[in-house]
């Protein structure tokens, strides 16, 4: 779904390079295990409570990111060129 694509891709661009291996594993599990993409969106936007198995530091980071406190325009996924830039 488009909402998750935008949210998760922008979150990934901003955070993946700084995450530990354990956090990366938790992020991978979060984006791949739930069978309903809407669940991830509802958890990230705090519309529904996050199940204990996914209520991790990574989910806390995603929830904070979803609040968009800086009021950035988040209308599309980032270009993928950032994946090839040196850290």
């Amino acid at each position: 779904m488009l909402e998750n694509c935008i949210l998760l891709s922008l979150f990934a661009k901003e955070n993946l390079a700084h995450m530990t291996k354990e956090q990366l594993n938790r992020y991978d599990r979060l984006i791949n295990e739930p069978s309903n993409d809407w669940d991830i969106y509802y958890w990230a936007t705090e519309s529904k409570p996050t199940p204990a198995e996914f209520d991790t530091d990574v989910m806390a980071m995603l929830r904070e990111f979803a609040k968009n406190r800086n009021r950035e325009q988040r209308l599309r996924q980032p270009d993928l060129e950032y994946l090839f830039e040196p850290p």
Side-chain angles (χ1 to χ4, degrees):
M1 63 181 243
L2 181 59
E3 292 85 356
N4 270 5
C5 288
I6 292 171
L7 179 64
L8 295 173
S9 64
L10 290 170
F11 174 82
K13 180 179 180 184
E14 187 170 305
N15 292 284
L16 291 186
H18 310 289
M19 293 168 79
T20 66
K21 183 177 179 180
E22 292 79 15
Q23 287 174 318
L24 291 171
N25 287 335
R26 286 190 290 276
Y27 182 70
D28 182 67
R29 185 170 171 247
L30 173 66
I31 64 173
N32 288 303
E33 283 189 20
S35 60
N36 185 344
D37 283 346
W38 280 106
D39 287 338
I40 299 170
Y41 181 79
Y42 292 143
W43 303 335
T45 59
E46 300 182 84
S47 299
K48 290 185 178 180
T50 305
E53 63 197 279
F54 296 109
D55 199 8
T56 66
D57 58 335
V58 173
M59 178 53 77
M61 291 167 60
L62 182 58
R63 281 193 298 257
E64 186 58 33
F65 183 81
K67 290 177 184 176
N68 193 14
R69 295 188 192 273
N70 294 330
R71 302 292 182 233
E72 300 168 328
Q73 278 195 337
R74 296 176 177 172
L75 304 175
R76 65 182 195 84
Q77 292 177 267
D79 295 329
L80 298 179
E81 283 80 15
Y82 79 92
L83 295 172
F84 304 104
E85 296 171 0

